[in-house]
Amino acid sequence: PDLLPACNGEITTMSFLQDVVDILLQYVVKSFDRSTKVIDFHYPNELLQEYNWELAEQPQTLEEILLNCRTTLKYAIKTGHPRYFNQLSTGLDMVGLAADWLTSAANTNMFTYEIAPVFVLLEYVTLRKMREMVGWPGGCGDGIFSPGGAISNMYAMLIARFKMFPEVKEKGMAAIPRLVAFTSEHSHFSVKKGAAALGIGTDSVILIRCDERGKMIPSDLERRILEAKQKGFVPFLVSATAGTTVYGAFDPLIAIADICKKYKIWMHVDGAWGGGLLMSRKHKWKLNGVERANSVTWNPHKMMGVPLQCSALLVREEGLMQSCNQMHASYLFQQDKQYDLSYDTGDKALQCGRHVDVFKLWLMWRAKGTTGFEAQIDKCLELAEYLYNKIKNREGYEMVFDGKPQHTNVCFWYIPPSLRSMEDNEERMSRLMKVAPVIKARMMEYGTTMVSYQPLGDKVNFFRMVISNPAATHQDIDFLIDEIERLGQDL
């Protein structure tokens, strides 16, 4: 009750916020200190019992509130730590952090120019710039920042369906033929999740075979499209992936675009993970053909290191998002306002309330320039290549696929000494299956580093190393390898 807006609350408020900022600044410094743990791991029941997290009738003191802040960060995973490699989004950018603080202080909603004038204009400018980088002339088209790649992919599906059958908006799925979408077997689960949410159904998402590097096989795509048409289904969307989640593979976009053009199917590119490569002159060839897509998902919160969450859906045809989603709510989108109504972007979104996600990206872009992002991305790819070169012929390592990785995903098995002389049979497989999970559990217990693992298809658990944190160095890669060997040699 002592904080603003209480009368005479200024001094208390300032000292409280100053204390909070001190806690945050200490955490930021710790995040980059290699001598600190990445994680102070406790099992859920331990952590629940160790503190009182329950909500009470009576207020707590500000001292207790500050203690809550400290405790929360004590057990937070340091996702900015140079040895955190667990997810596609890592790192902690100072300008992005500053932008996030400012966004929270401004505390407004992205639906109209009326209440978010600067943010709405920055979204307009930033999305146009991103569309230019995709290769659409003059950055034409439309777009929106959404809560993440899964929602961006769902938007693409929604808009593709509306483009082919506009009546679905009023009449629903019963009024239109059975639709089918196509995506690779290595694509992100959000494609199926979107189909389930939109009433298209997961059975209507047809998975296309991949080659051994995880890229969609165009001839299989065409075969499956023809098969679906023969059964009387209507193909309405192909979702190609630029940077798959596990292998970091880039589908052959030019061949896929040719097929989509031939059969008049909407082409979506899920570049949530790989889209950042458009910032790099050295690596953007991996997305050749992306300019022929009808829509593109691109998550700056992954490869570009923008604080979560920041995901963009870009659409080539202008006005389509608006007609697909608008509901003309007269209490928000009055038609007799005194300014250009095209800046009221809320009616083209699925959400009503929408968080300001653009400011972090815009401010970082101003601070780094495109060349700064390029240097950061090139460095991460160079580190991945360094890791690949280090382990490809090293004793105790087997690569999951041949050849150097296209993105920063490096997929490998660590083979403990006890398995190295075993012949390749069922028993070896079932023992190897258990290796990565045990090493991962030990990493978390020690708190030294974090790296992800998973099985895929007929392949048992393997490590998937991903690098998107510009703070990482060659020494951190060396450390990771030493740590895997230290924790796994007795298995």
Side-chain angles (χ1 to χ4, degrees), residues 355-383:
H355 187 258
V356 175
D357 292 326
V358 68
F359 191 61
K360 297 170 283 203
L361 171 57
W362 180 83
L363 202 65
M364 279 174 67
W365 210 323
R366 296 280 284 202
K368 288 178 201 289
T370 306
T371 53
F373 276 124
E374 175 179 51
Q376 182 176 314
I377 287 164
D378 287 354
K379 179 190 166 182
C380 290
L381 278 119
E382 190 276 317
L383 282 176

Short mmCIF file of all heavy atoms in Angstrom, two decimals, residues 355-383:
data_model
loop_
_atom_site.label_atom_id
_atom_site.label_comp_id
_atom_site.label_asym_id
_atom_site.label_seq_id
_atom_site.Cartn_x
_atom_site.Cartn_y
_atom_site.Cartn_z
N HIS A 355 0.31 -8.17 -27.25
CA HIS A 355 1.49 -7.60 -26.60
C HIS A 355 2.35 -6.87 -27.62
O HIS A 355 2.41 -7.26 -28.79
CB HIS A 355 2.30 -8.74 -25.96
CG HIS A 355 3.45 -8.28 -25.13
ND1 HIS A 355 4.74 -8.31 -25.58
CD2 HIS A 355 3.50 -7.77 -23.89
CE1 HIS A 355 5.55 -7.83 -24.63
NE2 HIS A 355 4.81 -7.50 -23.59
N VAL A 356 3.04 -5.84 -27.19
CA VAL A 356 3.97 -5.12 -28.08
C VAL A 356 5.26 -5.94 -28.17
O VAL A 356 6.04 -5.99 -27.22
CB VAL A 356 4.28 -3.72 -27.52
CG1 VAL A 356 5.35 -3.04 -28.39
CG2 VAL A 356 3.01 -2.88 -27.46
N ASP A 357 5.46 -6.61 -29.28
CA ASP A 357 6.66 -7.43 -29.47
C ASP A 357 7.68 -6.78 -30.39
O ASP A 357 8.83 -7.20 -30.45
CB ASP A 357 6.28 -8.80 -30.06
CG ASP A 357 5.50 -9.66 -29.08
OD1 ASP A 357 5.78 -9.56 -27.87
OD2 ASP A 357 4.60 -10.39 -29.52
N VAL A 358 7.26 -5.75 -31.11
CA VAL A 358 8.13 -5.19 -32.14
C VAL A 358 9.26 -4.34 -31.58
O VAL A 358 10.34 -4.26 -32.17
CB VAL A 358 7.31 -4.37 -33.17
CG1 VAL A 358 6.75 -3.08 -32.53
CG2 VAL A 358 8.16 -4.01 -34.38
N PHE A 359 9.04 -3.69 -30.44
CA PHE A 359 10.00 -2.67 -30.00
C PHE A 359 11.38 -3.26 -29.72
O PHE A 359 12.41 -2.68 -30.03
CB PHE A 359 9.46 -1.92 -28.77
CG PHE A 359 10.27 -0.70 -28.43
CD1 PHE A 359 10.39 0.35 -29.34
CD2 PHE A 359 10.93 -0.60 -27.20
CE1 PHE A 359 11.15 1.48 -29.04
CE2 PHE A 359 11.68 0.52 -26.90
CZ PHE A 359 11.80 1.57 -27.82
N LYS A 360 11.42 -4.49 -29.15
CA LYS A 360 12.70 -5.15 -28.87
C LYS A 360 13.50 -5.33 -30.16
O LYS A 360 14.69 -5.05 -30.22
CB LYS A 360 12.45 -6.54 -28.28
CG LYS A 360 11.72 -6.55 -26.97
CD LYS A 360 11.31 -7.96 -26.57
CE LYS A 360 10.10 -8.46 -27.34
NZ LYS A 360 9.38 -9.52 -26.64
N LEU A 361 12.81 -5.85 -31.19
CA LEU A 361 13.48 -6.12 -32.46
C LEU A 361 13.93 -4.81 -33.10
O LEU A 361 15.06 -4.69 -33.57
CB LEU A 361 12.52 -6.87 -33.39
CG LEU A 361 12.98 -7.05 -34.84
CD1 LEU A 361 14.32 -7.76 -34.92
CD2 LEU A 361 11.93 -7.81 -35.65
N TRP A 362 13.03 -3.83 -33.14
CA TRP A 362 13.34 -2.56 -33.79
C TRP A 362 14.54 -1.87 -33.12
O TRP A 362 15.47 -1.43 -33.79
CB TRP A 362 12.11 -1.64 -33.75
CG TRP A 362 12.34 -0.31 -34.40
CD1 TRP A 362 12.25 -0.01 -35.74
CD2 TRP A 362 12.71 0.91 -33.74
NE1 TRP A 362 12.55 1.31 -35.94
CE2 TRP A 362 12.83 1.91 -34.74
CE3 TRP A 362 12.95 1.25 -32.40
CZ2 TRP A 362 13.18 3.23 -34.45
CZ3 TRP A 362 13.31 2.57 -32.10
CH2 TRP A 362 13.41 3.55 -33.12
N LEU A 363 14.53 -1.84 -31.78
CA LEU A 363 15.61 -1.15 -31.06
C LEU A 363 16.95 -1.88 -31.23
O LEU A 363 17.99 -1.25 -31.42
CB LEU A 363 15.25 -1.01 -29.58
CG LEU A 363 15.99 0.11 -28.83
CD1 LEU A 363 15.61 1.50 -29.37
CD2 LEU A 363 15.70 0.05 -27.32
N MET A 364 16.90 -3.21 -31.20
CA MET A 364 18.13 -3.99 -31.43
C MET A 364 18.66 -3.76 -32.84
O MET A 364 19.86 -3.64 -33.05
CB MET A 364 17.86 -5.49 -31.21
CG MET A 364 17.86 -5.90 -29.76
SD MET A 364 17.35 -7.63 -29.52
CE MET A 364 18.69 -8.54 -30.29
N TRP A 365 17.75 -3.71 -33.81
CA TRP A 365 18.15 -3.50 -35.20
C TRP A 365 18.81 -2.13 -35.35
O TRP A 365 19.81 -1.98 -36.05
CB TRP A 365 16.93 -3.61 -36.11
CG TRP A 365 17.19 -4.11 -37.50
CD1 TRP A 365 18.28 -3.84 -38.29
CD2 TRP A 365 16.35 -4.97 -38.30
NE1 TRP A 365 18.17 -4.46 -39.51
CE2 TRP A 365 17.00 -5.15 -39.54
CE3 TRP A 365 15.11 -5.56 -38.07
CZ2 TRP A 365 16.43 -5.92 -40.56
CZ3 TRP A 365 14.56 -6.33 -39.09
CH2 TRP A 365 15.20 -6.52 -40.32
N ARG A 366 18.25 -1.12 -34.66
CA ARG A 366 18.86 0.20 -34.67
C ARG A 366 20.26 0.15 -34.05
O ARG A 366 21.18 0.80 -34.51
CB ARG A 366 18.01 1.19 -33.85
CG ARG A 366 16.62 1.42 -34.41
CD ARG A 366 16.60 2.40 -35.54
NE ARG A 366 16.76 3.78 -35.09
CZ ARG A 366 16.38 4.83 -35.80
NH1 ARG A 366 15.81 4.68 -36.97
NH2 ARG A 366 16.55 6.05 -35.34
N ALA A 367 20.39 -0.63 -32.96
CA ALA A 367 21.65 -0.67 -32.23
C ALA A 367 22.73 -1.46 -32.96
O ALA A 367 23.92 -1.14 -32.86
CB ALA A 367 21.44 -1.26 -30.83
N LYS A 368 22.34 -2.50 -33.70
CA LYS A 368 23.32 -3.37 -34.37
C LYS A 368 23.47 -3.06 -35.84
O LYS A 368 24.52 -3.32 -36.43
CB LYS A 368 22.87 -4.84 -34.28
CG LYS A 368 22.96 -5.49 -32.94
CD LYS A 368 22.42 -6.93 -33.04
CE LYS A 368 22.01 -7.47 -31.70
NZ LYS A 368 23.13 -7.76 -30.80
N GLY A 369 22.38 -2.58 -36.44
CA GLY A 369 22.34 -2.54 -37.89
C GLY A 369 22.22 -3.96 -38.43
O GLY A 369 22.45 -4.93 -37.71
N THR A 370 21.88 -4.07 -39.71
CA THR A 370 21.78 -5.41 -40.31
C THR A 370 23.13 -6.11 -40.23
O THR A 370 23.20 -7.32 -40.00
CB THR A 370 21.32 -5.28 -41.78
OG1 THR A 370 20.10 -4.52 -41.80
CG2 THR A 370 21.05 -6.65 -42.40
N THR A 371 24.23 -5.34 -40.36
CA THR A 371 25.56 -5.96 -40.33
C THR A 371 25.88 -6.56 -38.96
O THR A 371 26.59 -7.56 -38.87
CB THR A 371 26.66 -4.95 -40.68
OG1 THR A 371 26.51 -3.81 -39.81
CG2 THR A 371 26.56 -4.48 -42.12
N GLY A 372 25.34 -5.97 -37.90
CA GLY A 372 25.55 -6.51 -36.56
C GLY A 372 24.87 -7.86 -36.39
O GLY A 372 25.46 -8.81 -35.85
N PHE A 373 23.63 -7.95 -36.86
CA PHE A 373 22.92 -9.24 -36.83
C PHE A 373 23.68 -10.27 -37.68
O PHE A 373 23.82 -11.42 -37.30
CB PHE A 373 21.49 -9.09 -37.36
CG PHE A 373 20.50 -8.63 -36.32
CD1 PHE A 373 19.72 -7.49 -36.53
CD2 PHE A 373 20.33 -9.33 -35.13
CE1 PHE A 373 18.81 -7.07 -35.56
CE2 PHE A 373 19.42 -8.92 -34.17
CZ PHE A 373 18.65 -7.78 -34.39
N GLU A 374 24.15 -9.80 -38.83
CA GLU A 374 24.88 -10.70 -39.74
C GLU A 374 26.11 -11.28 -39.04
O GLU A 374 26.35 -12.50 -39.08
CB GLU A 374 25.30 -9.92 -40.99
CG GLU A 374 26.16 -10.72 -41.94
CD GLU A 374 26.54 -9.93 -43.19
OE1 GLU A 374 27.03 -8.79 -43.06
OE2 GLU A 374 26.35 -10.45 -44.30
N ALA A 375 26.88 -10.43 -38.36
CA ALA A 375 28.11 -10.88 -37.70
C ALA A 375 27.79 -11.90 -36.60
O ALA A 375 28.47 -12.93 -36.44
CB ALA A 375 28.85 -9.68 -37.11
N GLN A 376 26.71 -11.61 -35.86
CA GLN A 376 26.29 -12.46 -34.76
C GLN A 376 25.88 -13.85 -35.28
O GLN A 376 26.26 -14.88 -34.73
CB GLN A 376 25.10 -11.74 -34.13
CG GLN A 376 24.45 -12.34 -32.94
CD GLN A 376 23.35 -11.40 -32.43
OE1 GLN A 376 23.55 -10.20 -32.29
NE2 GLN A 376 22.17 -11.95 -32.16
N ILE A 377 25.12 -13.86 -36.38
CA ILE A 377 24.63 -15.12 -36.97
C ILE A 377 25.78 -15.91 -37.59
O ILE A 377 25.90 -17.11 -37.40
CB ILE A 377 23.52 -14.79 -37.99
CG1 ILE A 377 22.24 -14.38 -37.23
CG2 ILE A 377 23.24 -15.97 -38.91
CD1 ILE A 377 21.20 -13.68 -38.08
N ASP A 378 26.64 -15.21 -38.32
CA ASP A 378 27.80 -15.88 -38.94
C ASP A 378 28.67 -16.53 -37.87
O ASP A 378 29.18 -17.64 -38.04
CB ASP A 378 28.63 -14.89 -39.77
CG ASP A 378 27.93 -14.51 -41.07
OD1 ASP A 378 26.87 -15.09 -41.37
OD2 ASP A 378 28.45 -13.63 -41.79
N LYS A 379 28.82 -15.85 -36.74
CA LYS A 379 29.63 -16.38 -35.64
C LYS A 379 29.02 -17.68 -35.10
O LYS A 379 29.74 -18.66 -34.86
CB LYS A 379 29.75 -15.35 -34.52
CG LYS A 379 30.55 -15.85 -33.34
CD LYS A 379 30.49 -14.95 -32.12
CE LYS A 379 31.04 -15.72 -30.92
NZ LYS A 379 31.01 -14.98 -29.67
N CYS A 380 27.71 -17.71 -34.91
CA CYS A 380 27.05 -18.92 -34.41
C CYS A 380 27.22 -20.09 -35.38
O CYS A 380 27.47 -21.22 -34.96
CB CYS A 380 25.57 -18.65 -34.15
SG CYS A 380 25.28 -17.56 -32.74
N LEU A 381 27.10 -19.81 -36.67
CA LEU A 381 27.27 -20.87 -37.67
C LEU A 381 28.71 -21.36 -37.71
O LEU A 381 28.97 -22.56 -37.90
CB LEU A 381 26.79 -20.42 -39.05
CG LEU A 381 25.27 -20.55 -39.16
CD1 LEU A 381 24.58 -19.24 -39.42
CD2 LEU A 381 24.87 -21.58 -40.19
N GLU A 382 29.64 -20.45 -37.50
CA GLU A 382 31.06 -20.83 -37.47
C GLU A 382 31.33 -21.73 -36.26
O GLU A 382 32.08 -22.71 -36.35
CB GLU A 382 31.91 -19.55 -37.44
CG GLU A 382 33.40 -19.79 -37.64
CD GLU A 382 34.13 -20.16 -36.34
OE1 GLU A 382 33.87 -19.52 -35.31
OE2 GLU A 382 34.94 -21.09 -36.37
N LEU A 383 30.70 -21.42 -35.13
CA LEU A 383 30.87 -22.24 -33.92
C LEU A 383 30.33 -23.65 -34.14
O LEU A 383 30.90 -24.64 -33.69
CB LEU A 383 30.16 -21.61 -32.72
CG LEU A 383 30.87 -20.44 -32.04
CD1 LEU A 383 29.97 -19.87 -30.94
CD2 LEU A 383 32.20 -20.87 -31.44
#
